[in-house]
């Protein structure tokens, strides 16, 4: 099984390192680094098409300005299209720079979200029912789980 | 007839259970659990393409922040594309966490909306005219019906 | 010539009835009723693809909340895609529940907009030049015409 | 060479007349009039596909309400798709009714923007380098040029 | 290797000149000038399809009004689609006129962003791993780099 990792030079944290640390050695990894999030969708496309990846993680960081939010939306919309064309998952791991207030918190957020999603990536490769035990349990990536509703 | 159910680990309620409880045993069910709403469109695509579903219910929960709303929009837009490609319905059952104020109300909302849409799903499988008797009657899912205008 | 009519159970007015009342008996009508506006695009697609309609009217009502507006946008965007795929018009007749303040006004608005657009539908079936005499004349559906600019 | 002109009955100004007045007699013109801007994309598609136009001008007017702005966005997004499918330009000439305050100013704006874009249309038909002499010169349509930055 | 450059007459700075100045003579350049950013996507498409470019730079300027922001979004969304169809990068270099306050700063911003992205363009042509050394380092175009997070 081959896992693609697309990441950016815009990000202030080397998110790919966190992903790679959680992926067992039995998986092949193909990495593709681009300038920013808007360059990620075609990188994902190429990782599937030319490099025969079975799933791709798209790692990006998004600024705090309105224009940055729109860039993120454009990237995400195109990432949706790639998934539908390839019939394969892209696990999008986007960190917004205004989710937290300090560099330290930004690093921790990027690490937590990327690592948890690396584990999701492995689960999805096992098949459509691997995550059923966790359905509706309020899982979160980047922060603590919210958990299921309390009745 | 085969009904697909795509749901998420992000949701704080096991919405799939509500859907399954309303679907008669004569229908086959294929379930696909993914991390969040943005992973639902390709799951729906695979449920049609690989698992030969005739219709899919896409069950998701959406957070209260602006970024969550955009995620929901990206998921919904891609769900539209899948429907047009497959020429089959996807009944989207999205619950916004800020529609209600308590965990208890969130549970009730998710249950009501999912169950009513499970019944819509069955009706749509009967053909394009099954819902004509209810056209223009102000039906709602999640809350009480508004009913037709009062002249 | 065959005219498709796609409508919803969400709408609080039976808009299809207004459309049908304006379409001459010489046209065949195919009706498809779905739960809400987001189910309309694939219904339109099926009306063209399976039921061989030459044009479709998509009749829907949209709530007053921000989330409703986004739903309407998602439906409209997908309706655009269907038109481009089929190279046929879909006359979108959407009524926003916050355009007016009373049930009575909502009914009148839905009736006026649907009827006028039913006439547009007939005109468009005559060919690309049928509406040239009215180009730039400030026609409105749902309310009175604004008319051309006064110099 | 054949130029398509798609326009609307919603517009309060007969914009097509301005366009036609600027197009030399050596060009053939195909006109397609539709109700509103959301009907323009498929009209453009048909002008390319059935009427073999080499380029199309899409002339529309957009109201002042938020819902009108969304309609314009939906139309523009679909117009982008048509261009990519056909590999041909659509010159979009949209006038927003809230760009100016009087009927007289609206007329002048529509005239200026349409005429200047008719000239752009002719230039684009000459090839990809015809407009290079004006690159980066701050040209505007509808209002006076802003001109290049002053250092 | 052939690099496409698509630019606009709307821009108040001749951005293409900055790009060309940074591209080594060993690369062929194809230039395509259009009126505004919404004309760029099909220009990019044609640069790939007819002129066989390996990568394209899309250079544009975006006004300060809300309607301008929407235009930019429509252009960017279509540029995403072109990339996915062609499986080739388009480096989008958009300058917003409200990012800075003076003509002089606008010129400097356009120059810096275009030049840095010209270098990114060259790197991407070397392959998917050429930018790995800079991954997660907080690079910016148009302004100074932010650099990696400080722990």
């Amino acid at each position: 099984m081959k896992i693609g990792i697309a990441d950016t030079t815009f990000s202030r944290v080397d998110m790919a390192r966190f992903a790679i640390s959680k992926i067992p050695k039995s998986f092949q990894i193909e990495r593709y680094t681009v300038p920013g999030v808007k360059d990620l969708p075609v990188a994902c496309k190429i990782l599937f098409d030319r490099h025969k990846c079975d799933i791709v993680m798209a790692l990006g960081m998004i600024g705090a300005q309105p224009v940055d939010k729109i860039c993120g939306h454009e990237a995400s919309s195109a990432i949706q299209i790639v998934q539908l064309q390839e019939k394969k998952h892209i696990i999008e791991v986007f960190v917004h720079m205004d989710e937290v207030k300090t560099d330290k918190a930004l690093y921790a957020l990027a690490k937590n979200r990327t690592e948890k999603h690396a584990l999701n990536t492995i689960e999805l490769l096992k098949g459509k029912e691997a995550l059923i035990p966790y359905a509706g349990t309020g899982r979160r990536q980047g922060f603590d789980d919210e958990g299921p509703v309390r009745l």
Side-chain angles (χ1 to χ4, degrees), chain A residues 6-16 31-40 59-61 97:
Chain A
D7 66 342
T8 70
T9 66
F10 181 95
S11 173
R12 298 187 61 218
V13 179
D14 182 6
M15 297 164 72
R31 185 168 175 185
Y32 198 144
T33 303
V34 296
V37 287
K38 283 161 85 162
D39 307 303
L40 286 175
L59 314 176
M61 199 165 271
M97 292 175 71

Side-chain angles (χ1 to χ4, degrees), chain A residues 8-60:
Chain A
T8 70
T9 66
F10 181 95
S11 173
R12 298 187 61 218
V13 179
D14 182 6
M15 297 164 72
R17 194 161 57 86
F18 303 136
I20 293 165
S21 77
K22 289 291 172 189
I23 298 172
K25 301 295 172 209
S26 54
F27 293 92
Q28 262 188 282
I29 292 177
E30 291 280 351
R31 185 168 175 185
Y32 198 144
T33 303
V34 296
V37 287
K38 283 161 85 162
D39 307 303
L40 286 175
V42 72
C44 295
K45 180 78 182 175
I46 292 168
L47 283 168
F48 285 123
D49 189 73
R50 198 176 309 155
H51 301 284
K52 311 296 173 200
C53 290
D54 297 290
I55 196 166
V56 170
M57 297 184 74
L59 314 176

Side-chain angles (χ1 to χ4, degrees), chain A residues 64-89:
Chain A
Q65 302 304 315
V67 67
D68 299 316
K69 302 310 182 194
I70 294 173
C71 286
H73 173 52
E74 289 154 2
S76 294
S77 299
I79 282 173
Q80 288 294 330
I81 296 174
V82 177
Q83 291 178 83
L84 301 186
Q85 290 173 339
E86 302 293 326
K87 296 170 197 161
K88 299 216 173 77
H89 283 283

